[in-house]
Amino acid sequence: GEGLLDPSLTNWATLEFSSFPTVDFNGIFSYLAAYQYDCTEQIASRGIGALSLRPFLDGKNSAEVDILVPKLLKELYSRQLPGGGFTYWPGSSKADSWVSSMAGEFMTMASRNGFEVSKAVQASWSNYQKKSVREYRNPAAPDMSLLDQDYRLYTLAYASDSQDGAMNRLKEAQNLSPEAAWMLSAAYSITGKKNTAREMIALIKSGFRDRSGRDITYSSPIRDKAVAVKALALADEVPQALSLAGEIAEYLHPGMYMTQEVAFVSSALDALSDKVSTSAFDLEISSGGKNAPLQSAKSVAVERVDPSLGPVKVRNKADGTVYATLTVENSPGDKPVRARSNGLSVSVSYVGMDGKEVDPSSLAQGQEFCSVVSVSNTGGVEGYENLALVEPVPSGWEIFNTRLILGVQGPDEVRTDIRDDRTIRYFPLGRGETRKFVTSLRAAYAGEYVLPSVKCENMYDVRV
């Protein structure tokens, strides 16, 4: 194959080769490293994703994992309640069961990868999980609490503290959903009972449903397929796992996934990479008139590319199929960003202290004013529960943190994160509803600055 890079726009480029259907490993890690939202689900997802991707990353990004993971662990500890569970947001008094399981999986994974993890936090989490297992009651009708319980059991098994009796009871349940069955079969595999896991997998008949994050497990079809890929890989059903991994790779594109998907997909592909054939790569990479051989006995290899050398050609000299991914990071400079929307509309205006509209391109130094952002639900079908509104400001402006100055708090259902360079608000928005947000600002420094885009999105449904 041949790929043409524009050196005037390209910051860096990476070629990744894999013996199984692959996704953009380094690109996904860059997404995780720069991710700006910070609920506990997203913190745990970033940790699980980073550790799972680590074997596939180039040297620079692999080193970044060592820096990122301890920071995420430290932040995670602050979210634990006295009972051992973890809250979705800091300051909450209620544990989120799915998020608590994710937090435990991340801590166990970090410990297994050589990172120092608080034994006290882990022990408290383990007690919370086992208490929740004991208190769980199987509903008469199938719901997502079955998957929640199975994930709880999986994380305990992964932490070498399996609850065999509870696992056996759920295995015999008549209302076990396909999603829950995949998760439970993975739990059996990691306890060494692969025959039981394969028996469960053979009985799963139905496919994957489109729920798009609207349940207690923050689900999506890609996330559920990733659970299935991992269950198949752990049970040594490699051909089926490879086929399903190909479907994931086809639909997982940059900017079109969420943290929950990244965590489970990365974990699944990490498990799958241990099972696939590791026949050596024998590639020839041609760039700038030079040929460089690339040979590797691993299932994944990474090669940095110099964009200034022009076209890059890759030749596969071996018999087997090699999956290649070219990752390119571009700098858009100061080009305007075209507005787009789906299910939401956002309008932004700026007003002075007298309430009259002002032009942000002609402010006087020291002038105080406000931004007014209105967000409307235009989907017309349903309400949204997990919206994030990001309002970055030019570097010459300052944000007044009115919560600190005046003790002002927004509505209970709105969480506001005020940083030096942006304000992030998390909130629900009912069908047809509009919310208005006001931020106090000051044009602190003279000069010319870029006005960043204001963005609102559903954190668990990238279509919105």
Side-chain angles (χ1 to χ4, degrees):
E2 180 175 332
L4 180 62
L5 307 179
D6 184 348
S8 65
L9 289 177
T10 304
N11 294 74
W12 55 262
T14 302
L15 273 167
E16 301 174 24
F17 305 98
S18 174
S19 57
F20 60 91
T22 184
V23 295
D24 175 12
F25 295 122
N26 284 278
I28 288 179
F29 177 74
S30 296
Y31 162 83
L32 289 177
Y35 196 76
Q36 59 187 326
Y37 308 144
D38 63 350
C39 76
T40 307
E41 180 275 319
Q42 290 150 355
I43 288 174
S45 287
R46 292 171 69 197
I48 293 170
L51 290 168
S52 299
L53 291 170
R54 198 182 191 189
F56 311 131
L57 302 178
D58 60 23
K60 176 178 178 295
N61 283 330
S62 181
E64 286 292 322
V65 174
D66 295 340
I67 299 172
L68 178 63
V69 169
K71 291 181 179 179
L72 295 175
L73 286 170
K74 182 178 179 181
E75 181 60 35
L76 186 67
Y77 297 158
S78 67
R79 313 289 178 92
Q80 189 177 41
L81 295 173
F86 288 82
T87 62
Y88 184 82
W89 288 117
S92 175
S93 60
K94 182 181 179 181
D96 184 301
S97 60
W98 184 266
V99 163
S100 295
S101 293
M102 292 193 70
E105 182 176 8
F106 170 37
M107 289 189 296
T108 302
M109 187 178 292
S111 179
R112 290 189 173 190
N113 279 269
F115 292 90
E116 184 177 349
V117 178
S118 170
K119 293 181 179 179
V121 172
Q122 279 189 296
S124 183
W125 166 81
S126 180
N127 290 334
Y128 168 81
Q129 292 289 86
K130 286 184 283 190
K131 182 175 182 289
S132 298
V133 166
R134 291 192 301 269
E135 294 177 350
Y136 177 77
R137 297 295 179 269
N138 191 345
D143 68 356
M144 297 312 293
S145 72
L146 283 162
L147 177 58
D148 189 29
Q149 173 76 340
D150 282 339
Y151 185 36
R152 190 180 294 122
L153 292 167
Y154 171 86
T155 58
L156 284 168
Y158 182 54
S160 302
D161 198 2
S162 62
Q163 305 297 296
D164 297 340
M167 290 171 59
N168 292 335
R169 285 192 296 273
L170 271 189
K171 182 174 73 71
E172 300 302 325
Q174 298 299 312
N175 60 339
L176 201 62
S177 65
E179 298 87 2
W182 285 117
M183 185 68 78
L184 188 58
S185 70
Y188 273 109
S189 286
I190 61 177
T191 60
K193 300 175 182 177
K194 294 188 178 183
N195 287 335
T196 302
R198 285 190 284 267
E199 290 170 3
M200 290 192 66
I201 290 172
L203 296 174
I204 300 174
K205 302 300 182 184
S206 55
F208 303 93
R209 297 174 289 172
D210 184 1
R211 295 183 304 281
S212 301
R214 292 186 291 270
D215 59 60
I216 62 172
T217 74
Y218 311 97
S219 59
S220 77
I222 291 178
R223 195 282 307 277
D224 292 340
K225 287 182 179 180
V227 173
V229 168
K230 187 166 188 177
L232 289 165
L234 291 174
D236 297 329
E237 299 285 356
V238 176
Q240 293 183 60
L242 285 170
S243 176
L244 200 51
E247 293 184 26
I248 292 175
E250 182 179 352
Y251 290 103
L252 199 67
H253 302 296
M256 293 301 293
Y257 40 63
M258 60 188 187
T259 49
Q260 179 87 185
E261 293 171 340
V262 168
F264 281 86
V265 167
S266 302
S267 180
L269 294 180
D270 186 21
L272 181 58
S273 70
D274 293 335
K275 303 288 184 174
V276 297
S277 170
T278 56
S279 56
F281 291 140
D282 189 3
L283 305 168
E284 185 177 79
I285 303 174
S286 303
S287 180
K290 297 181 180 179
N291 297 332
L294 175 61
Q295 295 180 329
S296 173
K298 297 181 179 179
S299 57
V300 174
V302 182
E303 184 79 7
R304 282 274 176 163
V305 178
D306 185 351
S308 65
L309 298 179
V312 178
K313 296 180 180 180
V314 179
R315 182 187 177 197
N316 181 10
K317 299 168 68 176
D319 294 332
T321 300
V322 175
Y323 297 86
T325 302
L326 175 66
T327 305
V328 181
E329 181 177 286
N330 290 331
S331 175
D334 57 359
K335 295 180 180 179
V337 179
R338 180 179 299 174
R340 62 186 179 90
S341 66
N342 183 46
L344 293 170
S345 69
V346 176
S347 65
V348 185
S349 61
Y350 301 92
V351 298
M353 304 312 290
D354 57 0
K356 295 182 180 179
E357 191 164 341
V358 298
D359 182 354
S361 66
S362 57
L363 297 167
Q365 184 178 7
Q367 183 174 348
E368 296 181 3
F369 61 105
C370 294
S371 68
V372 181
V373 181
S374 295
V375 182
S376 300
N377 181 344
T378 59
V381 177
E382 62 184 352
Y384 304 132
E385 293 298 324
N386 296 287
L387 296 185
L389 171 65
V390 183
E391 184 184 0
V393 299
S395 55
W397 295 3
E398 287 182 341
I399 302 172
F400 285 110
N401 192 335
T402 52
R403 288 183 312 182
L404 299 177
I405 299 172
L406 303 174
V408 175
Q409 296 289 342
D412 290 341
E413 70 272 22
V414 178
R415 174 176 173 79
T416 304
D417 181 3
I418 300 176
R419 306 182 185 181
D420 290 341
D421 64 341
R422 70 193 59 204
T423 300
I424 306 177
R425 293 181 171 94
Y426 306 93
F427 58 96
L429 196 64
R431 184 164 61 104
E433 183 182 3
T434 297
R435 281 184 181 269
K436 183 180 292 185
F437 302 97
V438 179
T439 303
S440 298
L441 303 164
R442 176 169 56 203
Y445 304 100
E448 293 186 357
Y449 305 93
V450 174
L451 182 65
S453 302
V454 175
K455 178 178 71 172
C456 188
E457 63 179 334
N458 188 330
M459 295 189 296
Y460 297 108
D461 189 348
V462 294
R463 297 169 296 185
V464 180

